[in-house]
Amino acid sequence: MIWSKEELLSRDEMTSLQSKRLKDTVSKVYANVPFYKKKFDELGITPNDINSISDISKLPFTKKQDLRDNYPFGLFAVDNSELVRIHSSSGTTGKPTVVGYTKADIGVWAEGVARVLSMADITNKDIIHIAYGYGLFTGGLGLHDGASLVGATVVPSSGGFTSRQVMLMKDFGATALACTPTFAFHLLETAESEGYDIKKDFKLKAGVFGAEPTSKGFKEELARRWNISYHDIYGLSEIIGPGVAGSCKHSPDLHIFEDHFYPEIIDPETLKVLPYGEKGELVITSLTKQGFPIIRYRTGDVTVLVPQICGCGRTQIRMKNIMGRVDDMLIVNGVNVFPSQVEHVLSNIDEITLNYQIIVDKKGYLDKLEVMVEVTENMPMDSIGALERVQKKIQAELLSNLYIHTVVKLVEPRTIERSQGKAVRVIDKRSL
Ligand code: DLL
């Protein structure tokens, strides 16, 4: 089901809507946010220089550090009396990034999430189990408002208490699950180990998963083992939260809701805008936000824009699965590799699970990359020969696919710590 008519606009209609909205946004930030006025003045531009969406390249970029420098409310464009909600990032060091919403912003946000839920055919007939964290993180409340808008019955279970969540999913007959892919995997393993029959005991038909980079192989395995259709939901708190883009039933690529969030891809080194089809850093400009409008925000996420119209009929531009973050890309002895690429290789090896960790360290002048991964339950841990065969297989696959030499350590099932939210997959000891 298609939620909004804007998902079907022709290119001309979209361009004219975006142009009008960009002009409004630029005027608003120039008048109300000293940070933007100063930046525009330094570049010698005024709102009069912005007449269509193609003028966006004249505007300056905004980075996470700009939010930190203006902590807490320095980038807000309205008086506090107009704000109805504050969210904040989960950054572990320094000041967090803070974002504010007016009533209208909460409406746009809920609509973005409703569009993704509609891609998964989630309606008022569904029971959606939301296990994203509720609180300052945008996952829980974002999904909650979108699900309420489509009229689904929400089970706001938040994170933690995995066994109890599995029991409730079964007893309440949840038909949809929304959480991080790693937590969905943890719920699955818990259900299996507690003896549930996934196909008979659960009524799940769709999963709405996001908030962390995930490989194609991981997604396919999760969908197959939960017996559901997998829908990717993308977003970040600086832009609005979940519901900036999502994937439908026709393809794993994500439709970007470009009537509200204008996407560009840049080369993170030269900052040049790249043509469609080229891989680079996603930059987003909000076109309708009131409380916390943001211009050309460098998301740090690496992807590719796909202009071809999807089989589902939606006309909005799509992006490929996020490969990772610019700052998560590992450079191992000069070879660039994203953790999600390692994950994809692991997903094709039968004897191991997708519970893994990547540890990077220095050995003399060289980088050493270790992949620690849990084997499946039926792998004989006492057979050195069998373990060595699997280790060699993984090493050979990583070498031929990603050109990296690795040390592979196989560990017993259930020994790597599980995550309730976003997984910690990489430990880079070089930077410690
Ligand atoms: O993670 C918002 C969200 C909540 C999205 C629930 C989807 C579902 P932040 O905590 O600000 O917000 O983190 C944003 O998470 O820049 C990406 O690196 C990553 N991310 C979010 N969604 C996806 C996705 C939320 N579908 C950061 N695929 C982003 C890959 C994702 N990475």
Side-chain angles (χ1 to χ4, degrees):
M1 183 197 148
I2 294 179
W3 184 260
S4 310
K5 61 179 187 333
E6 286 79 7
E7 293 173 84
L8 299 170
L9 293 182
S10 69
R11 190 44 43 195
D12 283 351
E13 289 167 328
M14 180 60 76
T15 305
S16 102
L17 184 65
Q18 289 172 329
S19 298
K20 181 182 168 306
R21 289 180 167 178
L22 179 67
K23 274 166 73 70
D24 289 350
T25 299
V26 166
S27 302
K28 194 168 295 150
V29 298
Y30 192 76
N32 299 316
V33 187
F35 162 82
Y36 284 114
K37 173 154 192 326
K38 184 162 171 271
K39 275 196 150 187
F40 287 19
D41 289 349
E42 279 165 9
L43 290 171
I45 46 172
T46 72
N48 290 336
D49 296 313
I50 306 302
N51 296 307
S52 83
I53 195 71
S54 59
D55 289 327
I56 199 162
S57 56
K58 297 178 184 164
L59 297 172
F61 294 107
T62 308
K63 293 198 293 219
K64 205 178 195 80
Q65 190 57 41
D66 296 321
L67 274 76
R68 296 214 170 102
D69 293 345
N70 290 281
Y71 175 87
F73 299 157
L75 295 185
F76 290 4
V78 297
D79 186 71
N80 278 3
S81 60
E82 289 184 53
L83 295 175
V84 298
R85 181 95 63 80
I86 303 276
H87 278 277
S88 160
S89 77
S90 51
T92 44
T93 51
K95 295 281 190 200
T97 51
V98 181
V99 294
Y101 302 76
T102 64
K103 216 175 215 171
D105 295 333
I106 296 280
V108 168
W109 187 11
E111 181 180 329
V113 175
R115 289 183 186 182
V116 184
L117 298 179
S118 300
M119 290 175 185
D121 284 338
I122 296 170
T123 66
N124 59 358
K125 300 205 168 50
D126 285 287
I127 298 180
I128 181 165
H129 186 96
I130 300 181
Y132 285 112
Y134 278 64
L136 287 172
F137 174 54
T138 52
L141 284 168
L143 265 289
H144 187 102
D145 288 346
S148 303
L149 187 61
V150 303
T153 308
V154 174
V155 183
S157 64
S158 198
F161 307 105
T162 316
S163 290
R164 197 178 157 73
Q165 296 221 24
V166 169
M167 180 186 83
L168 297 182
M169 282 169 65
K170 170 181 174 288
D171 293 349
F172 294 177
T175 52
L177 172 64
C179 59
T180 60
T182 39
F183 193 58
F185 199 74
H186 185 31
L187 287 165
L188 173 81
E189 285 185 323
T190 305
E192 284 173 348
S193 73
E194 292 183 359
Y196 290 92
D197 180 327
I198 301 292
K199 288 201 177 124
K200 284 206 194 111
D201 290 336
F202 296 93
K203 294 203 180 121
L204 278 190
K205 59 173 195 187
V208 184
F209 302 129
E212 59 186 2
T214 310
S215 68
K216 184 166 167 270
F218 192 104
K219 292 177 178 181
E220 284 168 0
E221 180 159 346
L222 200 53
R224 182 179 55 75
R225 284 172 63 185
W226 263 124
N227 196 28
I228 53 176
S229 67
Y230 188 114
H231 297 272
D232 208 335
I233 183 162
Y234 171 81
L236 56 167
S237 55
E238 295 90 322
I239 300 301
I240 204 155
V244 171
S247 65
C248 66
K249 293 206 160 155
H250 284 255
S251 128
D253 297 343
L254 292 90
H255 296 266
I256 305 179
F257 304 136
E258 53 169 325
D259 48 326
H260 296 291
F261 313 108
Y262 184 77
E264 300 169 90
I265 296 287
I266 62 163
D267 176 326
E269 301 289 325
T270 63
L271 305 185
K272 283 230 162 65
V273 176
L274 299 176
Y276 293 151
E278 280 193 32
K279 188 173 79 188
E281 179 179 353
L282 179 67
V283 168
I284 300 180
T285 300
S286 74
L287 296 177
T288 51
K289 277 206 312 175
Q290 309 289 319
F292 179 73
I294 194 154
I295 305 286
R296 301 191 90 195
Y297 184 66
R298 292 186 58 185
T299 65
D301 293 322
V302 178
T303 185
V304 171
L305 292 180
V306 182
Q308 287 81 17
I309 291 179
C310 179
C312 71
R314 290 176 180 84
T315 51
Q316 303 205 335
I317 196 163
R318 289 178 294 157
M319 66 176 180
K320 294 256 171 233
N321 184 28
I322 301 285
M323 289 187 73
R325 299 187 49 79
V326 176
D327 40 17
D328 282 350
M329 189 179 74
L330 295 166
I331 306 180
V332 182
N333 297 319
V335 181
N336 297 350
V337 53
F338 283 104
S340 66
Q341 293 176 294
V342 174
E343 182 178 287
H344 188 63
V345 170
L346 297 181
S347 73
N348 288 322
I349 295 172
D350 291 338
E351 295 88 344
I352 55 172
T353 70
L354 284 173
N355 294 306
Y356 68 95
Q357 229 163 24
I358 298 169
I359 301 135
V360 199
D361 207 348
K362 273 249 176 258
K363 196 175 173 194
Y365 290 113
L366 289 179
D367 297 320
K368 185 183 110 189
L369 191 139
E370 179 180 301
V371 178
M372 182 162 78
V373 56
E374 287 179 12
V375 296
T376 56
E377 298 282 356
N378 42 20
M379 182 73 199
M381 284 306 275
D382 50 359
S383 162
I384 308 258
L387 291 178
E388 271 180 2
R389 254 195 317 279
V390 177
Q391 266 166 339
K392 288 212 171 98
K393 179 150 95 182
I394 300 173
Q395 279 166 337
E397 288 295 315
L398 288 169
L399 184 61
S400 70
N401 285 284
L402 305 175
Y403 313 108
I404 46 170
H405 289 275
T406 48
V407 175
V408 172
K409 190 168 162 197
L410 299 176
V411 296
E412 303 253 9
R414 285 166 223 294
T415 46
I416 296 178
E417 198 185 334
R418 302 295 189 261
S419 154
Q420 303 293 329
K422 303 188 189 220
V424 181
R425 298 292 198 193
V426 181
I427 301 170
D428 195 339
K429 294 188 174 163
R430 296 173 303 182
S431 51
L432 293 181

